[in-house]
Amino acid sequence: MGLVFRNQLSNLIKIPVRPAYYLGHRRFFSSKRTIILGIETSCDDTGCAIVDSEGNILGEALHSQHLVHLNNGGIIPPIAQNLHRKHIESVVKQAIENSKLSFDDIDAIATTVKPGLPMSLSIGMKYGKYLCRKYRKPFMPIHHMEAHALTARMHDKSVEFPFLVLLISGGHCLLAVAKQVDKFLLLGESIDDAPGEAFDKMARRMKLRNILEYAELSGGQAIELAASRAKDPCSLTLLHPYSNIKTNQLIRQLISEEERNEVPADSVIPDVNNLCAGFQLVITRHLCHRLQRAMEYICSENLIPHDKQTLIVSGGAACNNFIAKGLKIVCDELGYRMVRPPPHLCTDNGVMIAWNGIERLKESVGLYVNFDDIDVEKSSPLGIRLVEDVINKNISCNWVKLTKLNKPQSTWSD
């Protein structure tokens, strides 16, 4: 099935969602269960899922490019695009088959259009639009990070607006207050590598792939597993600031260990587990400090009622149990409830895109019947930026002690 589509001459029209039907389509959005198909291709995973308005996952499918890019030493956009193009039709078909539904049962098609790798995003967007034209469905453009932020509301129905969200992944790291489905206050964001990217880069530099049991794990998974096996996690302690860790402290420590132990070019240092533990600890400590500062800013500005203080943690690096344990300590100290979706919903997937479509549909936001002017965006800010205000407040924190963080335990250990 090709990805060549006919241009339409009509202007972009944004329609409200009311008890009316769409272009002769007889499913009434407000009178019965709504079903959304979601497509995700923002990076290197081709995902599709069908979700209903009750939060039931009716069908899903995912094609991962992980091993291809692992062998290439990182994600190469043209290769990612070609793999999305090759697999998107079969992934969507598999999700439909798993749901035991047809396109007649689907009310709208939601697709990630920002932010992400443009070459990857374009495949999902074009295919989503193609399906909308073929089956006469409305199109819902989805913000990838907003989708991550709201997935927890499908997993835990007790999560209410407003809430604090920490998104940690390979491409992004940010703190924001989610006020409504499409309204966010951005409190902080990464200025260097996001944690997931830092894990991947340093795992490559430490040559963890040369250890057989780590060979097919992502950098974050390999470091977490190695850290869980550290005999003396504090023997190679790394210091702040986080932005200086990867480029200076860790590299210097690694080179020093390689020279001292006369490590061959294709081998790892004897203390690699301890170094991984130190690296993981300093990233966790940094995230905990930024989280605490955000919480104290929220308190000073009365952004979240005290009886509804909830933290949502999502994104690929949120699967790291050691990081989650540190964040939970901060939450317990400052009176927040922490909610983390299951690991398969923290990483990129079609479920979060479909669910964001459900959330937006309920609020009559972002449903299009004429969508030719909608395009992908490599970068897209999340909500109203308050980062500078947080900085200017110069909040002095009495940092929560993380002494309860004992020896790391990995999600990936036996």
Side-chain angles (χ1 to χ4, degrees):
M1 192 175 293
L3 292 176
V4 179
F5 309 108
R6 174 178 59 85
N7 288 328
Q8 294 182 347
L9 298 179
S10 56
N11 294 325
L12 182 67
I13 300 174
K14 183 175 180 179
I15 62 172
V17 181
R18 297 190 180 96
Y21 54 86
Y22 157 71
L23 298 179
H25 185 52
R26 295 183 178 179
R27 290 186 62 85
F28 287 79
F29 294 125
S30 61
S31 62
K32 59 168 64 177
R33 182 180 67 160
T34 303
I35 299 175
I36 302 291
L37 182 146
I39 296 175
E40 157 63 17
T41 62
S42 66
C43 191
D44 61 334
D45 286 332
T46 310
C48 180
I50 296 93
V51 174
D52 70 12
S53 49
E54 300 302 316
N56 300 308
I57 302 172
L58 307 178
E60 62 178 316
L62 182 75
H63 176 267
S64 174
Q65 305 175 12
H66 166 66
L67 291 180
V68 173
H69 297 298
L70 191 64
N71 291 331
N72 286 323
I75 296 174
I76 301 176
I79 293 177
Q81 182 187 49
N82 288 337
L83 290 172
H84 283 306
R85 182 182 290 112
K86 179 180 179 180
H87 294 285
I88 189 167
E89 182 177 6
S90 61
V91 168
V92 172
K93 180 180 178 181
Q94 186 62 55
I96 289 288
E97 290 178 354
N98 291 342
S99 72
K100 298 187 172 23
L101 299 174
S102 72
F103 277 98
D104 287 339
D105 301 306
I106 292 168
D107 292 298
I109 294 174
T111 306
T112 309
V113 299
K114 60 184 178 182
L117 301 177
M119 298 179 74
S120 294
L121 286 168
S122 65
I123 299 299
M125 181 196 68
K126 290 177 180 178
Y127 197 77
K129 288 182 177 181
Y130 161 77
L131 293 176
C132 288
R133 292 189 182 101
K134 181 177 181 179
Y135 296 105
R136 304 187 75 206
K137 307 292 180 183
F139 181 73
M140 306 190 76
I142 301 298
H143 191 295
H144 182 80
M145 303 312 289
E146 290 182 5
H148 268 308
L150 300 189
T151 304
R153 282 168 50 86
M154 184 186 79
H155 170 66
D156 186 338
K157 300 296 192 300
S158 68
V159 176
E160 298 179 355
F161 295 111
F163 57 84
L164 176 61
V165 60
L166 171 62
L167 302 180
I168 41 179
S169 67
H172 301 86
C173 183
L174 57 85
L175 275 159
V177 174
K179 293 182 68 65
Q180 295 178 28
V181 169
D182 62 337
K183 290 182 173 56
F184 292 80
L185 304 177
L186 182 64
L187 306 183
E189 61 184 347
S190 54
I191 56 176
D192 191 42
D193 289 343
E197 185 176 0
F199 278 138
D200 286 342
K201 288 181 177 179
M202 295 320 302
R204 285 197 295 271
R205 179 58 185 85
M206 289 187 282
K207 297 168 284 189
L208 294 181
R209 281 201 65 205
N210 294 345
I211 299 175
L212 183 60
E213 61 184 315
Y214 301 158
E216 295 188 355
L217 299 180
S218 70
Q221 294 167 353
I223 287 177
E224 185 183 5
L225 180 52
S228 71
R229 295 174 175 175
K231 294 182 179 179
D232 188 2
C234 298
S235 64
L236 298 176
T237 303
L238 299 169
L239 305 174
H240 280 303
Y242 164 74
S243 60
N244 192 39
I245 292 298
K246 175 177 66 63
T247 55
N248 291 312
Q249 295 184 55
L250 186 63
I251 295 296
R252 286 201 303 268
Q253 183 71 61
L254 186 56
I255 292 173
S256 175
E257 290 293 310
E258 289 174 340
E259 292 176 347
R260 184 170 66 86
N261 292 281
E262 299 181 349
V263 176
D266 61 344
S267 299
V268 300
I269 63 172
D271 274 349
V272 69
N273 290 346
N274 292 330
L275 188 59
C276 286
F279 185 47
Q280 180 176 248
L281 176 60
V282 78
I283 286 180
T284 301
R285 184 189 298 124
H286 178 78
L287 289 172
C288 288
H289 286 181
R290 299 288 79 77
L291 173 63
Q292 181 176 345
R293 178 164 290 162
M295 288 176 170
E296 298 197 13
Y297 175 83
I298 287 169
C299 181
S300 68
E301 301 299 312
N302 296 314
L303 296 179
I304 298 177
H306 288 288
D307 60 342
K308 292 185 177 181
Q309 294 183 149
T310 300
L311 170 70
I312 304 301
V313 185
S314 192
C319 297
N320 184 300
N321 283 338
F322 186 79
I323 291 176
K325 185 176 180 180
L327 299 175
K328 181 66 164 55
I329 291 172
V330 176
C331 285
D332 290 344
E333 288 289 329
L334 274 74
Y336 273 71
R337 178 173 71 105
M338 189 176 104
V339 177
R340 183 174 56 146
H344 76 283
L345 294 182
C346 286
T347 55
D348 294 350
N349 59 83
V351 173
M352 70 181 196
I353 305 304
W355 176 252
N356 195 254
I358 293 288
E359 292 265 33
R360 296 174 74 83
L361 197 60
K362 289 178 179 178
E363 299 300 320
S364 303
V365 176
L367 186 72
Y368 295 83
V369 295
N370 296 306
F371 40 74
D372 284 335
D373 290 345
I374 297 175
D375 204 352
V376 301
E377 298 178 36
K378 177 181 179 180
S379 302
S380 179
L382 181 68
I384 299 172
R385 183 180 178 87
L386 297 181
V387 177
E388 286 71 25
D389 189 53
V390 176
I391 294 172
N392 291 335
K393 292 292 184 183
N394 197 25
I395 298 172
S396 179
C397 299
N398 183 16
W399 300 121
V400 172
K401 303 298 182 183
L402 301 178
T403 53
K404 295 179 182 179
L405 275 174
N406 300 317
K407 181 178 176 180
Q409 293 183 345
S410 169
T411 308
W412 312 98
S413 57
D414 296 335

